[in-house]
Amino acid sequence: MFNARAYSATSSTSPLASTTIARRDPTENDVQIEILFCGICHSDLHTVRNEWAAVMPTVYPCVPGHEIVGRVTKVGSAVTGFKPGDLAGVGCLVDSDGTCPACKEGLEQFCPGMTLTYNSPDKHTGGVTYGGYSDSIVVDQRFALHIPANLDLAAAAPLLCAGITTYSPMHHWGVGAGKKVGIVGLGGLGHMGVKFAHAMGAHTVVFTTSPSKVEDAIRLGADEVVISRDAAQMQKHANSFDFILDCVSADHDINAYIQLLGRDGNMTLVGAPEKPLSLSSFGLIFGRKSVSGSPIGGLKETQEMLDFCGEHNITSDVEVIAIQQVNEAYERLLKADVKYRFSIDMASLKS
Ligand code: NAP
Ligand code: ZN
């Protein structure tokens, strides 16, 4: 074991603060990474504040962070894909059983034995896993990803969660040329959704509660922008969408979007608000519409998404911050005031 610097929360009401955690020494299949940047996902905030207590109660101290980019410092004797000095990324998963049907299909996110990057039982230490608000991490080589060399590292970090979480359902539901696609909520996930939908060739419509984000939405790739609190603007799009991706972190009316789907249209929820959402069955029945969910993505698809970003020069729009600003960043996240992802420069942990 060795000591790593990190930021952790010790309860659902305490701010994140500097601490020291123990990491395992790399075993033969492990890669040790010096973390350079880590994005701030709204899931970090939900977890730190124990807002998902009913599904995944938080174990404290909690070190969040699952949008990790860094440089490999050590590799185990059986590691083949990485060597010291290489860039590497780590997303929301750090382990899975490797043998179940989901793992065999490269869908580790559905493995019953998968281990999340933070707040999951850690089979190596006997405690819980600690995430990327830290100067280093050690992961099995299967869960380390290659970062295309042309991408800015601070802006590439959010691809590891916000990127794959939006890319995967769009791929699954056939987003592409000739499709009308809606993105609800222009935050970290939403702005990546806009970039992907645009790059995939879809007619892309952003739904936002923030009039101040209209110009940005167009710059990011939207063909149209709708202020979702304006009923008349919403009504103009009734029954017209093939696919809508809901990226909202708080309670909101999803029925207002279901009525915008065309026949057989699908709305996928990736946003995970604290409280259950209400759903009118009539909205789905007339039109044979569907609502589904989607969690992150498997390792194969995550690498494919990173390579797609390399080819199309897609990264996140980031505000780079020092770790000491993390609590302030959380407050801004709650006010939908981030353009469009915070990325923590981990060099600040040393100061
Ligand atoms: P974020 O950056 O905070 O963005 C959320 C956006 O939702 C805001 O920017 C805002 O957009 C909109 N919004 C916020 N409060 C709202 C309200 N009361 N009513 C309507 N719209 C509201 O969050 P994020 O990091 O993108 O994460 C979004 C959600 O996805 C979170 O719940 C997160 O936990 C979840 N998530 C899920 C997965 C998965 O695997 N499924 C992965 C990562 C994250 P506008 O200003 O444009 O309205
Ligand atoms: Zn996330």
Side-chain angles (χ1 to χ4, degrees):
M1 303 287 273
F2 67 95
N3 284 336
R5 290 181 207 210
Y7 257 54
S8 76
T10 50
S11 80
S12 63
T13 51
S14 31
L16 289 148
S18 178
T19 189
T20 301
I21 54 170
R23 298 274 193 200
R24 70 178 184 269
D25 291 314
T27 65
E28 59 176 1
N29 283 306
D30 284 339
V31 174
Q32 184 173 328
I33 299 165
E34 179 197 0
I35 300 177
L36 300 175
F37 294 96
C38 184
I40 297 182
C41 179
H42 207 114
S43 304
D44 301 350
L45 189 156
H46 289 305
T47 307
V48 161
R49 302 197 175 174
N50 205 15
E51 290 175 357
W52 291 339
V55 190
M56 302 192 258
T58 305
V59 177
Y60 297 95
C62 171
V63 178
H66 55 209
E67 296 186 333
I68 298 165
V69 164
R71 211 167 270 290
V72 174
T73 50
K74 270 189 197 171
V75 297
S77 57
V79 170
T80 50
F82 290 90
K83 57 180 187 323
D86 286 352
L87 291 173
V90 178
C92 303
L93 297 172
V94 290
D95 207 358
S96 71
D97 67 20
T99 56
C100 72
C103 284
K104 284 188 177 150
E105 279 186 68
L107 299 170
E108 295 85 355
Q109 73 272 36
F110 301 115
C111 170
M114 57 93 164
T115 303
L116 294 168
T117 303
Y118 60 83
N119 200 42
S120 259
D122 185 333
K123 72 179 184 197
H124 298 274
T125 64
V128 287
T129 50
Y130 292 135
Y133 295 8
S134 174
D135 58 8
S136 63
I137 192 163
V138 178
V139 297
D140 185 293
Q141 61 174 333
R142 285 199 295 134
F143 295 86
L145 294 138
H146 291 280
I147 307 296
N150 57 319
L151 301 182
D152 176 77
L153 295 183
L159 300 176
L160 278 303
C161 174
I164 185 59
T165 301
T166 50
Y167 180 93
S168 179
M170 286 203 233
H171 211 219
H172 179 79
W173 288 97
V175 167
K179 299 286 166 117
K180 184 172 175 184
V181 170
I183 306 289
V184 187
L186 198 62
L189 265 58
H191 94 291
M192 289 312 307
V194 175
K195 291 187 184 204
F196 287 136
H198 176 74
M200 291 171 184
H203 182 85
T204 306
V205 182
V206 165
F207 294 94
T208 180
T209 60
S210 309
S212 62
K213 294 180 182 173
V214 171
E215 268 177 44
D216 281 344
I218 302 284
R219 175 180 58 77
L220 293 165
D223 298 289
E224 297 179 68
V225 186
V226 173
I227 303 298
S228 53
R229 291 189 171 133
D230 181 334
Q233 284 192 38
M234 292 287 279
Q235 199 50 40
K236 279 189 195 152
H237 292 271
N239 304 310
S240 67
F241 281 87
D242 296 291
F243 177 74
I244 296 177
L245 189 68
D246 184 328
C247 306
V248 176
S249 52
D251 190 30
H252 62 294
D253 177 19
I254 57 170
N255 301 297
Y257 296 99
I258 291 168
Q259 57 120 2
L260 305 187
L261 291 171
R263 175 164 54 83
D264 291 317
N266 170 267
M267 168 145 147
T268 292
L269 308 177
V270 286
E274 180 177 2
K275 298 198 178 80
L277 300 165
S278 83
L279 175 67
S280 151
S281 37
F282 282 108
L284 294 176
I285 290 169
F286 297 112
R288 199 167 50 193
K289 302 171 183 182
S290 64
V291 173
S292 55
S294 184
I296 50 173
L299 274 297
K300 182 169 171 281
E301 194 176 33
T302 304
Q303 189 62 59
E304 187 186 300
M305 177 276 308
L306 287 167
D307 297 343
F308 180 87
C309 289
E311 272 163 43
H312 294 261
N313 219 0
I314 293 175
T315 51
S316 182
D317 284 29
V318 289
E319 281 189 49
V320 178
I321 61 164
I323 188 89
Q324 292 78 7
Q325 295 168 277
V326 68
N327 294 303
E328 187 191 322
Y330 275 28
E331 292 311 313
R332 286 185 51 197
L333 209 55
L334 283 174
K335 290 188 245 162
D337 172 28
V338 48
K339 295 192 170 173
Y340 280 88
R341 197 57 141 186
F342 291 112
S343 183
I344 306 168
D345 181 350
M346 238 18 107
S348 60
L349 250 188
K350 298 190 182 97
S351 60

